[in-house]
């Protein structure tokens, strides 16, 4: 686990597109998933990483970036100053290998270190697998919902929240993701 750099943008975009195309099949319209390309996301990702306005972490295995998370200030006015976990994605070839859990723990700890006592995240309502992942990590739906629109199609999303505890078990930078889910 380490902070992401601008040089990681390509690897982040590759795993991000692959994860979307696998995880969101049947939830997000196929035309949206088929239109996703690494090239269409790359310049924006480079700019976001260069700006440094959010904390971005990457998980590596064998020297290759296999997962990514981003977090920082919350964007929801009604969330009471909570931090927000914007994204966690792991390349599908590495699902259930511990990288997602390691990114979640590190992101929660990072938010706590940034002074947030509470955090939120958004997940697509019908993404049962990911909802179970967050729930296993102590996150709970807080009753807030919205719709994200993808190429004209409204897809329901729910907000999750959890209380953060300073120093809540952040893995050290040398800890490799476990082999367990």
């Amino acid at each position: 686990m380490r902070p992401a750099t601008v040089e990681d943008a390509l690897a982040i975009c590759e795993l991000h597109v692959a994860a979307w195309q696998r995880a969101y099949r049947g939830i997000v319209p196929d035309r949206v998933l088929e239109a996703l390309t690494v090239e269409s996301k790359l310049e924006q990702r480079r700019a976001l990483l260069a700006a440094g306005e959010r904390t971005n972490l990457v998980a590596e295995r064998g020297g290759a970036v296999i997962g990514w998370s981003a977090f920082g200030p919350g964007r929801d006015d009604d969330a009471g100053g909570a931090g927000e976990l914007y994204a966690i994605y792991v390349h599908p070839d590495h699902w259930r290998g511990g990288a997602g859990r390691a990114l979640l723990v590190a992101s929660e700890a990072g938010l706590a270190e940034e002074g947030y006592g509470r955090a939120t995240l958004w997940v697509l309502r019908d993404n049962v697998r990911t909802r179970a992942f967050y729930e296993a990590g102590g996150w709970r739906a807080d009753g807030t919902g919205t719709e994200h629109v993808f190429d004209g199609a409204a897809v329901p999303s729910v907000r999750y929240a959890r209380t953060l505890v300073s120093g809540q078990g952040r893995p050290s930078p040398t800890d490799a993701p476990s082999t367990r889910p």
Side-chain angles (χ1 to χ4, degrees), residues 46 63 70 102 109 144:
R46 283 184 178 135
T144 305

Side-chain angles (χ1 to χ4, degrees), residues 104 128-141 160 162:
L104 181 61
V128 175
R129 185 180 157 277
T130 300
R131 290 182 70 173
F133 168 78
Y134 289 124
E135 290 167 5
W139 292 77
R140 298 292 175 255
Y160 275 61
R162 78 163 293 158

Side-chain angles (χ1 to χ4, degrees), residues 52-76:
E53 295 171 2
R54 301 173 174 182
T55 301
N56 289 264
L57 302 175
V58 291
E60 296 180 300
R61 186 161 290 136
V65 173
I66 62 165
W68 158 70
S69 69
F71 58 89
R75 299 173 288 182
D76 297 329

Side-chain angles (χ1 to χ4, degrees), residues 96-178:
R96 302 197 56 83
R101 175 73 179 137
L103 284 164
L104 181 61
V105 169
S107 297
E108 291 168 348
L111 283 161
E113 288 172 9
E114 290 178 10
Y116 296 104
R118 186 169 171 275
T120 62
L121 62 84
W122 287 92
V123 62
L124 299 180
R125 183 194 67 200
D126 296 337
N127 190 345
V128 175
R129 185 180 157 277
T130 300
R131 290 182 70 173
F133 168 78
Y134 289 124
E135 290 167 5
W139 292 77
R140 298 292 175 255
D142 73 0
T144 305
T146 192
E147 290 185 337
H148 287 88
V149 179
F150 301 100
D151 192 25
V155 179
S157 297
V158 295
R159 188 172 66 190
Y160 275 61
R162 78 163 293 158
T163 300
L164 301 171
V165 178
S166 185
Q168 64 182 40
R170 183 178 189 165
S172 73
T174 58
D175 288 346
S178 72

